[in-house]
Amino acid sequence: MRKVVLYLGMSLDGYIADKNGGVGWMEEDDTGSLEDSSYPDFVQTVDTVLMGYTTYHQIRTELSPDNWAYAGMQTYVFTHRSEQDEEEIHFTDKGPEELVRRLREQKGKDIWLCGGADLVKQFVEADLIDQYRITVLPVLLGDGIRLFGGGSRQRKLKLTGTERYGGMTELIYEKQ
């Protein structure tokens, strides 16, 4: 069965974006680059990407405005906005449970939950994440958008791996 994998970067103090929603603090420096991380191998294991509208908009307007960052993969954007689907980009107002159930019934590689925090919270609450792959970057933001903010349900996880890439540490957990 296809797994849902949360794969993203986070500051040491638990933020995935600064207080303005920016992720420039993740850009390449002496901590390493995407090519020096697990990213090249990870993207070979997925063929579907899930994200919220804010993440989608940031990718389209700031991070990769000229080229779709997830070309060759089917992307589902959770939103209540009325947007026109594209060849590989689908907009949905369905709940995570319904879409994930349908995707798991299809043949394919794993499913990448890439953000944002509100969508991650919904997936955690619905217990839809099979694997958590969190890369901790050596920076303290002090404020911003927390990865796991205000959940109401406890989740027990099992540490299954760690990797170090320059100054970054990847933590891999499976749900129990």
Side-chain angles (χ1 to χ4, degrees), residues 21-87:
V23 294
W25 57 273
M26 287 189 188
E27 291 178 8
E28 184 177 337
D29 59 16
D30 62 348
T31 62
S33 69
L34 280 179
E35 289 73 31
D36 298 327
S37 71
S38 63
Y39 184 80
D41 291 333
F42 172 74
V43 296
Q44 299 303 311
T45 68
V46 296
D47 62 6
T48 305
V49 181
L50 308 178
M51 66 182 65
Y53 185 82
T54 301
T55 301
Y56 166 78
H57 186 261
Q58 186 176 45
I59 292 166
R60 275 291 204 209
T61 61
E62 294 175 46
L63 303 176
S64 185
D66 298 326
N67 299 319
W68 181 236
Y70 305 109
M73 295 186 241
Q74 293 301 307
T75 300
Y76 292 86
V77 180
F78 290 84
T79 183
H80 294 292
R81 298 171 192 262
S82 179
E83 297 282 339
Q84 185 67 38
D85 285 357
E86 299 176 28
E87 183 177 339

Side-chain angles (χ1 to χ4, degrees), residues 148-160:
F148 301 112
S152 62
R153 296 182 59 180
Q154 181 179 6
R155 295 278 179 248
K156 297 257 184 190
L157 305 174
K158 178 182 178 184
L159 181 66
T160 59

